[in-house]
């Protein structure tokens, strides 16, 4: 820890030096995944690890989707063959809804949450009231290990039991909070109703939207709030600096934004699916598609941290929709576009005029009326999705860059 603002010198590193350092480490990480995680070995069997040294090369690797984990783990328990350490070598084995099972390796900060805690103002000697669940799921442990790595003491409150939580807060007088922002608001309101003096002045939150109104409400009650974005599989992905302008990427990840249903990176600033490559020795996930939508922000944070930034969580990439009794997902749209070629971007728009489902595949092409492209696209989509769709050719830039590949615009009375 170098100063009162930044957790360490890596946070202010020259961006080009950071990028070069991450990709210098990547070949060894791919080699480790192939050597120790059987499923990764199969997935990356044809990959020449030493050749993967930049984003262009990384984008040629297959994508591993979070949506596949339940089936993979059922076929190859407990972790779908994606783990590089055996169950007996782990610190914890978690079960999240799905169910999805996740391994936790050993070490003082295995989920890398210390950075987020530090950016939120947590410091050695703080007492943290942690309201994330510890039972089966890793949420509570993520914040617990991060706060303790910073030098804080932790009250392992977990969720619910509001009266018991208020009693613990009154007796133990925590200075910091971790959990969902709405629950923090509830606790502060209940303290006020009971005439109990508030001691919490800082918070790190997750799990639901932190609206500007809610942030301001907590601020009026004397609490400075930061956010963290993480998943059970990957740990911390990004965290909010003290300026609240975007979320800064973790120093030990490579993050891409790709078009949903594909592994193709989108133009900078466009919304797409968050795909993460981790340097974990326990769970070496390469090009792991989270199912979350976000976008990169230009420039660097005013707080002095130089890492790439995300705009935050912008929705889900899994836009699977049932049309006339058939499930259609973004991958099928991508399959149709690939079969024809030359399509920069497309969106399947579903409406229901007079109660009947209608699908229109809108495609951006340089010359909207060129050749028999519409007919070939219609045939390709029918082959990919077993469903008829009209095709509308539009000029580049006509479709919004919001990450949607399937737009369900149906209206139900």
């Amino acid at each position: 820890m170098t100063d009162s603002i930044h957790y360490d010198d890596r946070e202010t590193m020259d961006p080009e030096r950071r990028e070069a350092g991450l990709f210098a480490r990547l070949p060894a990480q791919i080699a480790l995944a192939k050597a120790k995680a059987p499923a990764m070995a199969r997935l990356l069997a044809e990959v020449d690890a030493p050749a993967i040294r930049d984003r262009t090369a990384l984008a040629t690797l297959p994508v591993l989707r979070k949506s596949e984990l339940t089936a993979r783990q059922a076929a190859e328990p407990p972790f779908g063959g994606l783990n590089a350490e055996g169950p007996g070598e782990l610190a914890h084995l978690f079960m999240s809804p799905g169910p999805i099972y996740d391994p936790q390796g050993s070490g003082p900060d295995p989920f890398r949450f210390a950075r987020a805690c530090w950016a939120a103002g947590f410091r050695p000697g703080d007492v943290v009231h942690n309201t994330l669940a510890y039972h089966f799921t890793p949420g509570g442990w993520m914040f617990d290990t991060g706060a303790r790595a910073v030098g804080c003491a932790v009250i392992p409150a977990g969720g619910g039991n509001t009266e018991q939580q208020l009693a613990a807060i009154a007796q133990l007088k925590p200075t910091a909070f971790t959990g969902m922002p709405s629950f923090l608001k509830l606790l502060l309101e209940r303290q006020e109703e009971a005439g109990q003096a508030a001691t919490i002045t800082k918070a790190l939150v997750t799990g639901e939207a932190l609206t500007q109104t809610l942030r301001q409400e907590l601020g009026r009650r004397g609490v400075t709030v930061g956010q963290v974005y993480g998943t059970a599989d990957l740990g911390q992905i990004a965290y909010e600096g003290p300026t609240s302008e975007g979320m800064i990427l973790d120093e030990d990840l490579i993050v891409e934004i790709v078009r949903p249903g594909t592994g193709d990176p989108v133009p900078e600033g466009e919304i797409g699916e968050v795909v993460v490559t981790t340097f974990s020795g326990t769970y070496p996930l390469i090009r792991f598609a989270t199912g979350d939508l976000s976008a990169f922000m230009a420039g660097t944070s005013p707080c002095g941290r130089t890492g790439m930034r995300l705009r935050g969580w912008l929705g889900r990439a899994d836009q699977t929709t049932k049309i006339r009794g058939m499930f259609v997902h973004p991958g099928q749209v991508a399959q149709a576009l690939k079969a024809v070629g030359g399509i920069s971007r497309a969106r399947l728009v579903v409406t229901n005029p007079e109660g009947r489902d209608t699908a229109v595949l809108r495609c951006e092409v340089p010359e909207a009326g060129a050749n028999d492209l519409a007919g070939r696209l219609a045939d390709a989509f029918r082959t990919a999705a077993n469903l008829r769709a009209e095709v509308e050719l539009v000029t580049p830039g006509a479709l919004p860059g919001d990450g949607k590949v399937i737009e369900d615009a149906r209206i139900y009375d």
Side-chain angles (χ1 to χ4, degrees), residues 192-217:
E192 184 177 14
E193 292 170 3
Q196 181 179 327
T199 58
I200 294 171
T201 61
K202 59 195 79 172
L204 181 62
V205 300
T206 194
E208 62 184 2
L210 175 62
T211 65
Q212 193 61 26
T213 299
L214 181 53
R215 189 194 292 273
Q216 291 172 351
E217 171 65 20

Side-chain angles (χ1 to χ4, degrees), residues 274-290:
V274 178
V275 170
V276 179
T277 294
T278 174
F279 290 91
S280 169
T282 299
Y283 209 30
L285 302 176
I286 308 295
R287 298 205 85 202
F288 183 75
T290 63

Side-chain angles (χ1 to χ4, degrees), residues 42 81 90-91 95 103 105 111 161 189 228 231 255 264 332 337 346 357 407:
R42 295 191 293 271
L90 302 172
M95 183 177 73
F111 304 103
N161 301 309
E189 289 173 344
V228 62
T231 72
V255 176
D264 303 330
Q332 291 169 311
L337 302 186
D357 287 351
E407 177 185 354

Side-chain angles (χ1 to χ4, degrees), residues 226-246:
Q227 297 183 85
V228 62
Y229 165 40
T231 72
D233 334 90
L234 300 163
Q236 176 180 262
I237 297 173
Y239 63 96
E240 198 171 58
T243 62
S244 304
E245 294 186 16

Side-chain angles (χ1 to χ4, degrees), residues 34-273:
K34 293 178 68 173
K36 295 190 174 183
M40 294 304 303
R42 295 191 293 271
L43 193 66
L44 304 175
E46 304 302 318
V47 173
D48 178 21
I52 311 303
R53 290 189 170 273
D54 58 31
R55 289 184 180 269
T56 300
L58 179 61
T60 66
L61 271 56
V63 169
L64 170 66
R65 301 195 176 279
K66 181 165 184 167
S67 58
E68 302 171 357
L69 286 184
T70 299
R72 284 181 174 273
Q73 292 179 351
E76 193 172 355
F79 304 115
L82 299 168
N83 51 304
E85 295 179 349
E89 301 174 87
L90 302 172
H92 291 107
L93 291 77
F94 296 110
M95 183 177 73
S96 298
I100 294 176
Y101 299 89
D102 290 292
Q104 177 199 323
S106 57
D109 185 23
F111 304 103
R112 306 178 314 283
F113 263 51
R115 288 187 188 281
C117 291
W118 190 267
F122 293 20
R123 295 295 183 267
D126 274 325
V127 175
V128 179
H129 191 75
N130 184 19
T131 63
L132 270 291
Y134 284 78
H135 179 67
F136 270 131
T137 59
W141 297 98
M142 289 178 169
F143 286 91
D144 188 302
T145 53
R148 287 192 292 116
V150 165
C152 304
V154 178
I155 303 169
N161 301 309
T162 304
E163 296 302 325
Q164 190 175 4
Q165 300 231 15
L166 289 167
I169 290 170
Q171 181 73 13
L172 301 174
K173 296 179 172 49
T175 51
F177 169 93
T178 50
M180 292 192 293
S182 61
F183 190 49
L184 172 58
K185 180 175 180 287
L186 172 64
L187 291 175
L188 293 173
E189 289 173 344
R190 295 289 297 275
Q191 279 188 290
E192 184 177 14
E193 292 170 3
Q196 181 179 327
T199 58
I200 294 171
T201 61
K202 59 195 79 172
L204 181 62
V205 300
T206 194
E208 62 184 2
L210 175 62
T211 65
Q212 193 61 26
T213 299
L214 181 53
R215 189 194 292 273
Q216 291 172 351
E217 171 65 20
L218 295 172
R220 283 194 294 270
R221 294 176 179 274
V223 182
T224 302
V225 185
Q227 297 183 85
V228 62
Y229 165 40
T231 72
D233 334 90
L234 300 163
Q236 176 180 262
I237 297 173
Y239 63 96
E240 198 171 58
T243 62
S244 304
E245 294 186 16
M247 304 191 79
I248 302 158
L249 295 183
D250 186 82
E251 296 289 335
D252 287 298
L253 300 175
I254 297 174
V255 176
E256 303 167 89
I257 305 293
V258 309
R259 201 166 308 286
T262 78
D264 303 330
V266 301
E268 186 173 354
E270 188 172 311
I271 296 172
E273 184 173 9

